[in-house]
Amino acid sequence: MRKKIRSANWSVGEVAKRSGVNVSTLHFYEEKGLIHASRNSGNQRRYFKDVLRRIAVIKAAQKVGISLTEIKQALSFLPTSHAPNKSDWERLSKQWRADLEQRIKDLTALKDKITGCIGCGCLSLKACPLYNPNDHLGQQQSGAVLLNSSDE
Amino acid sequence: MRKKIRSANWSVGEVAKRSGVNVSTLHFYEEKGLIHASRNSGNQRRYFKDVLRRIAVIKAAQKVGISLTEIKQALSFLPTSHAPNKSDWERLSKQWRADLEQRIKDLTALKDKITGCIGCGCLSLKACPLYNPNDHLGQQQSGAVLLNSSDE
DNA sequence: GCTTGACCTCAAGTAAACTTGAGGAATTAT
DNA sequence: ATAATTCCTCAAGTTTACTTGAGGTCAAGC
């Protein structure tokens, strides 16, 4: 049983074309440790095809507001030495699902609050759901109590 | 029927404390046209209490990845001359709901895809849902065809 | 009435996520 | 073999969303 040799023959330009991101972005992602490439004899990058999947994950995650740092963290569960297999993806998946579910909850809450504001007319500050500081959305990075309107 | 005079007597520091954002951020938001303040005789900012709601909306929206530019656009539906009333909120709400729903769909799709990758084991590139370029997630700002893996 | 703290403006700095450009080497096309 | 591409590195510029700081004013307490 001979081992299948991974073909690593895509240039940056090729990957850029296939993935839709700029060459400069590929350089940047590599510098940041998000993707990897080997080099040919002339020091030019050569990519394995799995780089496309990594880029897809990066772009999909970014679109929903996940930072490159977080994405890198998640991608670190995937090996660089071999193409990701089932359990690799399972690890990544597990890590992200909870986070994604939370983000979905946040968004849904915001939508519901905004929808709710139609009903309340936002004429009463105290009744406005956007004013409720006791939910997840109200707790920003600052950890501050948003919208204390007790002396209205 | 005498008109109720709006009290505008909160200082930046007061608003900062109540909203949990820095004074510098309030200045910044004002400069960007996201919030407004009147001035007292000594040129110091004085806020109406509705500024807290605007800040709440800003922060909630940011949390889910909406840019200040988009937020400003949405907030522009609210008047600055009077406290937002039912129909003001209704306009804002309508504008945002569709967008929020789309974002929720995107997130859910990403979650499902990632979850799906467990099932497919991502051993087959063509079967991997992350590779499907024909969905919303696959179409990035670039509009490029992500992940053309036809020559795998 | 004077000091202390809050406020003012304006300029510059910061971090994230890239892009642009200069100067030069490798690859591909003819 | 040579020209046209593509690629390389490294430095600097860009945008978004703020923060920090300098130099000076305003207001509140004693």
Side-chain angles (χ1 to χ4, degrees):
Chain A
M1 49 179 174
R2 66 192 167 84
K3 262 210 160 144
K4 195 178 157 191
I5 289 152
R6 276 175 97 204
S7 59
N9 38 22
W10 283 348
S11 65
V12 253
E14 188 86 35
V15 172
K17 215 171 292 167
R18 283 167 190 272
S19 67
V21 310
N22 288 345
V23 168
S24 63
T25 306
L26 294 174
H27 287 181
F28 176 73
Y29 284 168
E30 186 176 332
E31 192 189 301
K32 291 278 164 175
L34 288 158
I35 59 173
H36 306 276
S38 52
R39 299 294 179 114
N40 73 357
S41 56
N43 195 36
Q44 296 197 349
R45 288 169 180 85
R46 288 299 176 261
Y47 293 90
F48 297 103
K49 64 184 182 336
D50 66 278
V51 77
L52 292 186
R53 182 159 21 208
R54 292 179 79 97
I55 297 168
V57 171
I58 294 168
K59 285 300 168 194
Q62 274 197 312
K63 174 142 197 211
V64 291
I66 300 172
S67 74
L68 286 188
T69 309
E70 290 174 280
I71 294 167
K72 184 186 171 174
Q73 235 281 299
L75 283 177
S76 72
F77 283 79
L78 299 185
T80 55
S81 56
H82 64 90
N85 62 23
K86 182 166 170 159
S87 72
D88 295 327
W89 279 103
E90 197 157 341
R91 274 199 304 280
L92 188 156
S93 170
K94 245 183 201 149
Q95 218 211 342
W96 273 20
R97 228 180 319 164
D99 186 53
L100 286 174
E101 271 158 11
Q102 186 56 59
R103 279 168 198 272
I104 289 167
K105 268 185 206 149
D106 287 353
L107 268 174
T108 307
L110 177 62
K111 187 186 72 120
D112 290 349
K113 277 169 199 301
I114 274 181
T115 304
C117 274
I118 295 179
C120 80
C122 282
L123 298 170
S124 160
L125 283 181
K126 288 182 186 168
C128 178
L130 274 169
Y131 263 116
N132 178 8
N134 293 326
D135 68 350
H136 192 82
L137 271 171
Q139 292 169 348
Q140 282 302 112
Q141 47 276 34
S142 63
V145 177
L146 265 179
L147 304 174
N148 163 10
S149 63
S150 57
D151 350 25
E152 170 187 2
Chain B
M1 44 179 180
R2 66 195 166 85
K3 264 214 161 140
K4 194 178 158 191
I5 289 151
R6 278 174 95 205
S7 59
N9 37 22
W10 283 349
S11 64
V12 254
E14 187 86 35
V15 172
K17 214 172 292 168
R18 282 166 191 273
S19 66
V21 311
N22 289 343
V23 168
S24 63
T25 306
L26 294 175
H27 287 182
F28 177 73
Y29 285 169
E30 184 175 333
E31 191 189 302
K32 291 278 163 172
L34 288 157
I35 60 173
H36 306 276
S38 52
R39 301 295 177 114
N40 73 358
S41 56
N43 196 35
Q44 297 195 348
R45 287 167 180 85
R46 289 299 176 259
Y47 293 90
F48 297 102
K49 65 184 184 332
D50 67 278
V51 79
L52 292 184
R53 181 159 22 209
R54 291 179 81 98
I55 296 168
V57 172
I58 293 168
K59 285 302 168 190
Q62 273 196 312
K63 174 143 198 209
V64 292
I66 300 172
S67 73
L68 286 187
T69 309
E70 289 174 282
I71 295 167
K72 182 185 171 174
Q73 236 281 301
L75 283 177
S76 72
F77 282 79
L78 299 184
T80 55
S81 56
H82 64 89
N85 62 23
K86 183 165 170 160
S87 73
D88 295 326
W89 280 103
E90 198 158 342
R91 273 198 305 279
L92 188 156
S93 171
K94 245 185 202 150
Q95 218 208 344
W96 272 18
R97 229 181 317 165
D99 186 53
L100 287 173
E101 270 158 13
Q102 187 56 61
R103 279 168 197 271
I104 289 168
K105 268 185 206 150
D106 287 353
L107 268 174
T108 306
L110 178 61
K111 187 186 72 117
D112 290 350
K113 277 169 199 303
I114 273 181
T115 304
C117 273
I118 295 179
C120 80
C122 281
L123 299 170
S124 159
L125 285 180
K126 289 181 184 169
C128 177
L130 274 170
Y131 263 117
N132 177 8
N134 293 327
D135 67 351
H136 193 81
L137 272 171
Q139 294 171 343
Q140 283 302 113
Q141 46 277 36
S142 62
V145 177
L146 266 180
L147 304 173
N148 163 10
S149 62
S150 58
D151 352 22
E152 170 184 7

